[in-house]
Amino acid sequence: NVIIAYLETMFGAYPPTPRMLEAKAELQTMMADAYSGFIAQGMSENEAVGRVITEFGNLDELAPALGIADELHPGAPAPGSGSPSAPSSSTPIHPPITMDEAMGFAEAQRRTRFRLGAAVALFVLSPIALITLSTAAGLERIPLSSGGASALGIGALLLLVASGVILILSVSRAFTPFSRVNEGRFSPDPAVSAWADALAQQHESRRISALQIAILLWVFSPAPIIGLSLLTQDSPQNDFWSTLGVGLMLLLVATGLFILLTASWARSAAEKLGSTASRRSRQEEREESSLVGIVARIYWPLVTAIFLAWSFIGNAWGRSWIVWPIAGVFFAVVVGVLGAVRASRGSQR
């Protein structure tokens, strides 16, 4: 599938004449044979595809052997005739990315996807112990003073945050050999872009499924808070159960993030490698960022007003903090839905 997608990209810029179609079929047979040979030598699928595209990736070089030089450059002057051409003013600032670099970068994305997802999940889960222990101690549900419970909760929070930071640092170390790719200091290469597009397309259905599951978890994440609050509204332990609901909400949010991040590695690699088919256009980015910005400018002042009104009017400073995690989850849901709509529209084009 990757090789076929690459051939479609390679020949898509030229008229589908009978000779070009014949040449594409010949080249597909050659590439398939080479791919089978590399697999027989013990290479992985990605390595074999990368090697095939490296060897057969320049159509200009293959044109004489395929007999399509005239089709590629109709009316071109013979070599050595005419005046010498002026140096191009669009000389790349950075050296073009190589297939080996692209494959190594994509493999690093694949290998570190669980570490990255776990790190983000730990950051989201880090305040659960502090919130739960402090509330439980205040209601005398555990044999700890409020100060001891807060100290223990802060210790757990710092431990989870430190673990997440360690995972992030290990992810960064894995990308050290590909610093210029991460920083965008390379010129795109058509063969690399086609390979990255095909890789992203190969894993796109899994990413879309993960996105749908994550959005479902985020949408239902406030349900534990709402449900436990309603079920225990007449109980003297209502605050404890509401706090437990906050912990369950954060757990659902963290699970959704982990699922989505671990399934998005191929798309992230393709976008970083300069792939055109899987990368959002600048116009789409501006439109989406503008829409999110408009929502944020209305949403967060409203949340602040609700928080202050509840805290002052109801004298509920002990529980009004719950507004912020709930508001954060709903905002993440809004942004996620906007992204899902954009992805759906992009897949239909």
Side-chain angles (χ1 to χ4, degrees):
N1 291 336
V2 174
I3 291 174
I4 292 173
Y6 174 74
L7 282 170
E8 293 296 332
T9 301
M10 180 188 290
F11 282 85
Y14 303 101
T17 63
R19 182 62 200 126
M20 290 294 286
L21 294 176
E22 183 181 348
K24 184 166 74 169
E26 293 176 7
L27 187 55
Q28 180 175 337
T29 301
M30 295 165 61
M31 295 175 79
D33 290 343
Y35 171 81
S36 300
F38 291 136
I39 291 293
Q41 294 174 19
M43 292 186 182
S44 67
E45 292 184 3
N46 281 343
E47 290 174 337
V49 169
R51 182 68 66 84
V52 169
I53 292 178
T54 300
E55 293 188 1
F56 297 91
N58 192 320
L59 197 56
D60 284 327
E61 294 180 357
L62 297 171
L66 294 172
I68 56 173
D70 292 337
E71 281 79 0
L72 293 187
H73 307 288
S81 65
S83 58
S85 59
S88 172
S89 59
S90 60
T91 302
I93 299 176
H94 300 294
I97 188 170
T98 66
M99 184 60 69
D100 288 339
E101 283 180 311
M103 291 174 59
F105 181 81
E107 178 62 19
Q109 289 272 16
R110 188 192 67 81
R111 285 189 290 104
T112 60
R113 66 191 189 281
F114 291 114
R115 278 178 276 173
L116 178 61
V120 174
L122 288 174
F123 292 147
V124 174
L125 295 173
S126 60
I128 289 181
L130 176 60
I131 295 171
T132 305
L133 290 176
S134 297
T135 304
L139 296 173
E140 299 182 349
R141 299 274 299 188
I142 56 176
L144 285 175
S145 65
S146 296
S150 297
L152 189 60
I154 291 173
L157 182 148
L158 294 177
L159 179 62
L160 291 180
V161 170
S163 300
V165 170
I166 291 173
L167 288 174
I168 291 292
L169 290 176
S170 71
V171 171
S172 298
R173 283 196 299 270
F175 286 95
T176 300
F178 312 103
S179 58
R180 86 181 188 105
V181 178
N182 254 333
E183 297 167 6
R185 294 184 288 106
F186 63 87
S187 298
D189 179 86
V192 170
S193 295
W195 176 82
D197 282 340
L199 180 67
Q201 191 62 35
Q202 185 180 0
H203 296 272
E204 185 66 7
S205 60
R206 187 177 305 173
R207 190 191 71 86
I208 294 298
S209 298
L211 177 61
Q212 293 170 344
I213 294 172
I215 290 176
L216 189 65
L217 290 173
W218 295 337
V219 168
F220 284 97
S221 60
I225 300 177
I226 298 171
L228 290 174
S229 297
L230 292 176
L231 290 173
T232 61
Q233 58 183 343
D234 297 326
S235 170
Q237 305 296 328
N238 177 259
D239 286 347
F240 173 76
W241 289 109
S242 297
T243 303
L244 184 61
V246 173
L248 294 174
M249 178 194 71
L250 294 177
L251 179 61
L252 291 176
V253 172
T255 303
L257 288 169
F258 180 83
I259 291 173
L260 180 59
L261 289 173
T262 54
S264 301
W265 66 272
R267 168 63 69 90
S268 299
E271 291 178 353
K272 205 73 173 179
L273 293 170
S275 136
T276 55
S278 61
R279 184 175 53 194
R280 294 183 301 185
S281 69
R282 292 181 181 179
Q283 181 63 27
E284 287 175 327
E285 286 187 13
R286 284 195 295 268
E287 290 176 357
E288 185 175 335
S289 298
S290 176
L291 183 57
V292 172
I294 291 172
V295 172
R297 283 194 293 271
I298 300 172
Y299 182 80
W300 290 114
L302 179 62
V303 171
T304 303
I306 293 173
F307 168 73
L308 293 175
W310 186 16
S311 301
F312 280 109
I313 298 174
N315 193 24
W317 295 98
R319 67 170 65 179
S320 58
W321 57 267
I322 202 174
V323 167
W324 297 108
I326 294 177
V329 170
F330 275 115
F331 187 72
V333 169
V334 170
V335 175
V337 169
L338 291 176
V341 171
R342 181 204 56 77
S344 176
R345 288 176 178 174
S347 64
Q348 292 173 0
R349 286 197 292 266

Coordinates of all heavy atoms in Angstrom, one line a residue, residues 101-157:
E101 N 17.0 9.5 7.7 CA 16.5 10.4 8.8 C 15.1 10.3 9.0 O 14.6 10.2 10.2 CB 16.9 11.8 8.4 CG 18.4 12.1 8.6 CD 18.7 13.6 8.2 OE1 18.2 14.0 7.2 OE2 19.3 14.3 9.0
A102 N 14.3 10.2 8.0 CA 12.8 10.2 8.1 C 12.4 8.9 8.8 O 11.6 8.9 9.7 CB 12.2 10.3 6.7
M103 N 13.0 7.8 8.4 CA 12.6 6.5 8.9 C 13.0 6.4 10.4 O 12.3 5.9 11.2 CB 13.3 5.4 8.1 CG 12.7 5.2 6.7 SD 13.6 4.0 5.8 CE 13.4 2.5 6.8
G104 N 14.2 7.0 10.7 CA 14.7 7.0 12.1 C 13.8 7.8 13.0 O 13.4 7.5 14.1
F105 N 13.4 9.0 12.4 CA 12.5 9.9 13.2 C 11.1 9.2 13.5 O 10.6 9.3 14.6 CB 12.3 11.2 12.5 CG 11.5 12.2 13.2 CD1 12.0 13.0 14.2 CD2 10.1 12.4 12.8 CE1 11.2 13.9 14.8 CE2 9.3 13.3 13.4 CZ 9.9 14.0 14.4
A106 N 10.6 8.6 12.4 CA 9.3 8.0 12.6 C 9.4 6.8 13.6 O 8.5 6.6 14.4 CB 8.8 7.5 11.2
E107 N 10.5 6.1 13.5 CA 10.6 5.0 14.5 C 10.8 5.5 15.9 O 10.2 4.9 16.8 CB 11.9 4.1 14.1 CG 12.2 3.0 15.0 CD 11.1 1.9 15.1 OE1 10.3 1.9 14.1 OE2 11.1 1.1 16.0
A108 N 11.4 6.6 16.1 CA 11.5 7.2 17.4 C 10.2 7.6 17.9 O 9.8 7.5 19.1 CB 12.5 8.4 17.4
Q109 N 9.3 8.2 17.0 CA 8.0 8.5 17.4 C 7.2 7.3 17.8 O 6.5 7.3 18.8 CB 7.2 9.2 16.2 CG 7.7 10.6 15.8 CD 7.0 11.6 16.6 OE1 6.3 11.4 17.6 NE2 7.1 12.9 16.2
R110 N 7.4 6.2 17.1 CA 6.7 5.0 17.5 C 7.1 4.4 18.8 O 6.3 4.0 19.6 CB 6.8 3.9 16.3 CG 6.0 2.7 16.5 CD 6.4 1.6 15.5 NE 7.8 1.1 15.9 CZ 8.0 0.2 16.8 NH1 7.0 -0.3 17.6 NH2 9.2 -0.2 17.1
R111 N 8.5 4.4 19.0 CA 9.0 3.8 20.2 C 8.7 4.6 21.5 O 8.6 4.0 22.6 CB 10.5 3.6 20.1 CG 11.0 2.5 19.2 CD 12.5 2.3 19.3 NE 13.2 3.3 18.7 CZ 13.9 4.3 19.3 NH1 13.9 4.3 20.7 NH2 14.5 5.2 18.7
T112 N 8.5 5.9 21.4 CA 8.3 6.8 22.5 C 6.8 7.1 22.8 O 6.5 7.9 23.7 CB 9.1 8.1 22.4 OG1 8.7 8.8 21.2 CG2 10.6 7.8 22.3
R113 N 5.9 6.6 22.0 CA 4.6 7.0 22.0 C 3.9 6.7 23.4 O 3.2 7.5 24.0 CB 3.7 6.4 20.9 CG 3.6 4.9 21.0 CD 2.9 4.4 19.7 NE 2.6 3.0 19.7 CZ 3.4 1.9 19.6 NH1 4.7 2.2 19.4 NH2 3.0 0.7 19.6
F114 N 4.3 5.5 24.0 CA 3.7 5.2 25.3 C 4.3 6.0 26.4 O 3.6 6.4 27.4 CB 3.9 3.7 25.5 CG 3.1 2.8 24.7 CD1 3.7 2.0 23.7 CD2 1.7 2.8 24.7 CE1 3.0 1.1 22.9 CE2 1.0 1.9 23.9 CZ 1.6 1.1 23.0
R115 N 5.6 6.3 26.3 CA 6.2 7.2 27.3 C 5.6 8.6 27.3 O 5.3 9.2 28.4 CB 7.7 7.3 27.1 CG 8.5 6.1 27.7 CD 10.0 6.2 27.4 NE 10.3 5.7 26.0 CZ 11.5 5.8 25.5 NH1 12.5 6.4 26.2 NH2 11.8 5.3 24.3
L116 N 5.4 9.1 26.1 CA 4.8 10.4 26.0 C 3.3 10.4 26.6 O 2.9 11.3 27.3 CB 4.8 10.9 24.6 CG 4.1 12.3 24.3 CD1 4.8 13.4 25.0 CD2 4.1 12.5 22.8
G117 N 2.6 9.4 26.2 CA 1.2 9.3 26.7 C 1.1 9.2 28.2 O 0.3 9.8 28.9
A118 N 2.1 8.3 28.7 CA 2.1 8.1 30.2 C 2.5 9.4 30.9 O 1.9 9.7 32.0 CB 3.1 7.0 30.5
A119 N 3.4 10.2 30.4 CA 3.8 11.4 31.0 C 2.7 12.4 31.1 O 2.4 13.0 32.2 CB 5.0 12.0 30.2
V120 N 2.0 12.6 30.0 CA 0.8 13.5 30.0 C -0.3 13.0 31.0 O -0.9 13.8 31.7 CB 0.3 13.7 28.6 CG1 -1.0 14.5 28.6 CG2 1.3 14.3 27.7
A121 N -0.5 11.7 31.0 CA -1.5 11.2 31.9 C -1.1 11.4 33.3 O -1.9 11.7 34.2 CB -1.7 9.7 31.6
L122 N 0.2 11.2 33.7 CA 0.6 11.5 35.0 C 0.5 12.9 35.5 O 0.1 13.2 36.6 CB 2.1 11.0 35.2 CG 2.4 9.5 35.1 CD1 3.9 9.3 35.1 CD2 1.8 8.9 36.3
F123 N 0.7 13.8 34.5 CA 0.5 15.2 34.9 C -1.0 15.5 35.2 O -1.3 16.3 36.1 CB 0.9 16.1 33.7 CG 2.4 16.1 33.4 CD1 2.9 16.2 32.1 CD2 3.3 16.0 34.5 CE1 4.2 16.2 31.9 CE2 4.7 16.0 34.2 CZ 5.1 16.1 32.9
V124 N -1.9 14.9 34.5 CA -3.3 15.1 34.7 C -3.7 14.5 36.0 O -4.5 15.0 36.8 CB -4.1 14.6 33.6 CG1 -5.6 14.6 33.9 CG2 -3.8 15.3 32.3
L125 N -3.2 13.3 36.3 CA -3.5 12.5 37.5 C -2.9 13.1 38.8 O -3.3 12.7 39.9 CB -3.2 11.1 37.4 CG -3.9 10.3 36.3 CD1 -3.3 8.9 36.1 CD2 -5.4 10.2 36.6
S126 N -1.9 13.9 38.7 CA -1.0 14.3 39.8 C -1.8 14.9 41.0 O -1.5 14.7 42.2 CB 0.1 15.2 39.4 OG -0.4 16.4 38.8
P127 N -2.9 15.7 40.8 CA -3.5 16.4 41.9 C -4.6 15.5 42.6 O -5.1 15.9 43.6 CB -4.2 17.6 41.3 CG -4.4 17.3 39.9 CD -3.4 16.3 39.5
I128 N -4.8 14.3 42.1 CA -5.9 13.5 42.7 C -5.6 13.2 44.2 O -6.5 13.3 45.0 CB -6.0 12.1 41.9 CG1 -6.7 12.4 40.6 CG2 -6.9 11.2 42.7 CD1 -6.9 11.2 39.7
A129 N -4.4 12.7 44.5 CA -4.1 12.4 45.9 C -4.3 13.6 46.8 O -4.8 13.5 47.9 CB -2.7 11.8 46.0
L130 N -3.8 14.7 46.4 CA -3.9 15.9 47.3 C -5.4 16.3 47.5 O -5.8 16.6 48.7 CB -3.2 17.1 46.6 CG -3.2 18.5 47.3 CD1 -2.7 18.4 48.7 CD2 -2.5 19.5 46.5
I131 N -6.2 16.3 46.4 CA -7.6 16.7 46.6 C -8.3 15.7 47.5 O -9.0 16.0 48.4 CB -8.2 16.8 45.2 CG1 -7.6 17.9 44.4 CG2 -9.7 17.0 45.3 CD1 -8.1 17.9 42.9
T132 N -8.1 14.4 47.2 CA -8.9 13.3 47.9 C -8.4 13.3 49.4 O -9.3 13.2 50.3 CB -8.6 12.0 47.3 OG1 -9.0 12.1 45.9 CG2 -9.5 10.9 47.9
L133 N -7.1 13.3 49.7 CA -6.7 13.1 51.0 C -7.0 14.3 51.9 O -7.4 14.2 53.1 CB -5.1 12.9 51.0 CG -4.6 11.6 50.5 CD1 -3.1 11.5 50.5 CD2 -5.2 10.4 51.4
S134 N -6.9 15.5 51.3 CA -7.3 16.7 52.1 C -8.7 16.7 52.5 O -9.1 17.0 53.6 CB -6.9 18.0 51.3 OG -5.6 18.1 51.0
T135 N -9.6 16.4 51.5 CA -11.0 16.3 51.8 C -11.3 15.2 52.8 O -12.1 15.4 53.8 CB -11.8 16.1 50.5 OG1 -11.5 17.1 49.6 CG2 -13.3 16.1 50.8
A136 N -10.7 14.1 52.7 CA -11.0 12.9 53.6 C -10.5 13.3 55.0 O -11.2 12.9 56.0 CB -10.3 11.7 53.0
A137 N -9.4 13.9 55.1 CA -8.9 14.3 56.4 C -9.8 15.3 57.1 O -10.1 15.3 58.3 CB -7.5 14.8 56.3
G138 N -10.3 16.3 56.3 CA -11.2 17.3 56.9 C -12.5 16.7 57.3 O -13.2 17.2 58.3
L139 N -13.0 15.6 56.7 CA -14.2 14.9 57.1 C -13.9 13.8 58.1 O -14.9 13.0 58.4 CB -14.9 14.4 55.9 CG -15.4 15.5 54.9 CD1 -16.0 14.8 53.6 CD2 -16.5 16.3 55.5
E140 N -12.7 13.6 58.5 CA -12.3 12.6 59.5 C -12.5 11.2 58.9 O -12.9 10.3 59.7 CB -12.9 12.8 60.8 CG -12.6 14.1 61.5 CD -13.2 14.3 62.8 OE1 -14.1 13.4 63.2 OE2 -12.9 15.2 63.6
R141 N -12.4 11.0 57.6 CA -12.5 9.7 57.0 C -11.3 8.9 57.1 O -11.3 7.7 56.9 CB -12.9 9.9 55.5 CG -14.2 10.6 55.3 CD -15.4 9.7 55.3 NE -15.4 8.6 54.3 CZ -16.4 7.8 54.1 NH1 -17.5 7.9 54.8 NH2 -16.3 6.9 53.2
I142 N -10.1 9.5 57.3 CA -8.9 8.8 57.5 C -8.2 9.3 58.7 O -8.4 10.5 59.2 CB -8.0 9.1 56.2 CG1 -7.8 10.6 56.0 CG2 -8.5 8.4 55.0 CD1 -6.8 10.9 54.9
P143 N -7.3 8.5 59.3 CA -6.7 8.9 60.6 C -5.5 9.8 60.4 O -4.3 9.5 60.8 CB -6.2 7.5 61.2 CG -6.0 6.7 60.0 CD -7.0 7.1 59.0
L144 N -5.7 10.9 59.7 CA -4.6 11.9 59.5 C -5.1 13.3 59.7 O -6.3 13.6 59.5 CB -4.2 11.8 58.0 CG -3.3 10.6 57.6 CD1 -3.0 10.7 56.1 CD2 -1.9 10.6 58.3
S145 N -4.3 14.1 60.2 CA -4.6 15.5 60.4 C -4.7 16.2 59.0 O -4.2 15.7 58.0 CB -3.6 16.3 61.3 OG -2.3 16.3 60.6
S146 N -5.3 17.4 58.9 CA -5.4 18.1 57.7 C -4.0 18.4 57.1 O -3.7 18.3 55.9 CB -6.2 19.4 57.8 OG -7.5 19.1 58.2
G147 N -3.1 18.8 58.0 CA -1.7 19.1 57.6 C -1.0 17.9 57.1 O -0.3 17.9 56.1
G148 N -1.2 16.7 57.8 CA -0.5 15.5 57.4 C -1.0 15.0 56.1 O -0.3 14.5 55.2
A149 N -2.4 15.1 55.9 CA -3.0 14.7 54.6 C -2.5 15.6 53.5 O -2.2 15.1 52.4 CB -4.5 14.7 54.7
S150 N -2.4 16.9 53.7 CA -1.9 17.8 52.7 C -0.5 17.5 52.3 O -0.1 17.5 51.1 CB -2.1 19.2 53.1 OG -3.4 19.6 53.3
A151 N 0.3 17.2 53.3 CA 1.7 16.9 53.1 C 1.9 15.7 52.3 O 2.7 15.6 51.3 CB 2.5 16.8 54.4
L152 N 1.1 14.6 52.6 CA 1.1 13.4 51.9 C 0.7 13.6 50.4 O 1.2 13.0 49.5 CB 0.3 12.3 52.6 CG 0.4 10.9 52.1 CD1 1.8 10.4 52.2 CD2 -0.6 10.0 52.8
G153 N -0.4 14.4 50.3 CA -0.9 14.6 48.9 C 0.0 15.4 48.1 O 0.2 15.1 46.9
I154 N 0.7 16.4 48.7 CA 1.7 17.2 47.9 C 2.9 16.3 47.5 O 3.4 16.4 46.4 CB 2.2 18.4 48.8 CG1 1.0 19.4 48.9 CG2 3.4 19.0 48.1 CD1 1.4 20.5 49.8
G155 N 3.3 15.4 48.4 CA 4.3 14.4 48.1 C 4.0 13.5 46.9 O 4.8 13.3 46.0
A156 N 2.7 13.0 46.9 CA 2.3 12.2 45.8 C 2.2 13.0 44.5 O 2.6 12.5 43.5 CB 0.9 11.6 46.1
L157 N 1.7 14.3 44.6 CA 1.7 15.1 43.4 C 3.1 15.3 42.9 O 3.3 15.2 41.6 CB 1.0 16.4 43.8 CG 0.8 17.5 42.7 CD1 -0.4 18.3 43.0 CD2 2.0 18.4 42.6

